[in-house]
């Protein structure tokens, strides 16, 4: 078999799954319920966030909180301050790709 298969959870429970973590990319699956999210931090690579379901509420640098819905893909530059939160009732599900993969 040439291909390698990866799986992520199909869940409504909070999850941060590091699905692929190699020298090329980091591919992370995230699920957040209302008021869950990630603590404020700086991006350690170019970040691409795909909203699979729900509404992403995100604060970048000193901007106000912006909201993005299913089907939206955000590109966030390296070294951007970010705070990711689900401020809505519906479950938020994201795929986060970091490329290139952050150096350790």
């Amino acid at each position: 078999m040439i291909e390698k298969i990866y799986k992520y959870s199909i869940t409504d429970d909070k999850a941060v799954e590091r699905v692929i973590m190699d020298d090329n990319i980091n591919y992370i699956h995230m699920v957040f319920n209302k008021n869950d999210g990630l603590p404020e931090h700086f991006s350690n690579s170019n970040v691409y966030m795909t909203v699979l379901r729900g509404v992403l509420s995100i604060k970048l640098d000193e901007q106000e909180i912006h909201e993005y819905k299913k089907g939206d893909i955000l590109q966030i530059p390296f070294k951007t301050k970010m705070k990711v939160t689900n401020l809505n009732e519906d479950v938020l599900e994201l795929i986060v790709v970091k490329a290139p993969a952050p150096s350790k």
Side-chain angles (χ1 to χ4, degrees):
M1 189 155 131
I2 295 170
E3 69 274 13
K4 184 171 184 178
I5 298 171
Y6 298 90
K7 293 190 182 256
Y8 62 86
S9 298
I10 307 299
T11 184
D12 288 340
D13 297 328
K14 182 177 180 178
V16 177
E17 298 178 293
R18 290 165 174 80
V19 180
I20 303 170
M21 304 295 280
D22 65 21
D23 292 339
N24 300 306
I25 68 164
N26 290 178
Y27 187 99
I28 306 161
H29 174 242
M30 299 181 182
V31 179
F32 298 116
N33 290 294
K34 185 174 183 179
N35 297 320
D36 284 336
L38 299 173
E40 187 172 84
H41 65 286
F42 286 88
S43 57
N44 58 355
S45 183
N46 297 305
V47 176
Y48 303 87
M49 288 187 167
T50 303
V51 182
L52 300 178
R53 62 181 166 139
V55 178
L56 166 64
S57 300
I58 188 166
K59 181 172 175 35
L60 299 174
D61 286 334
E62 302 309 315
Q63 290 182 163
E64 296 296 319
I65 293 172
H66 292 172
E67 292 192 331
Y68 299 95
K69 298 179 180 176
K70 179 180 178 177
D72 289 337
I73 302 171
L74 286 68
Q75 189 273 324
I76 301 165
F78 179 53
K79 294 187 179 179
T80 300
K81 183 168 62 170
M82 55 194 296
K83 182 165 175 43
V84 174
T85 313
N86 180 5
L87 298 176
N88 295 275
E89 293 296 328
D90 294 335
V91 173
L92 169 63
E93 185 171 14
L94 305 168
I95 293 294
V96 177
V97 174
K98 296 181 181 184
S103 57
K104 297 179 176 148

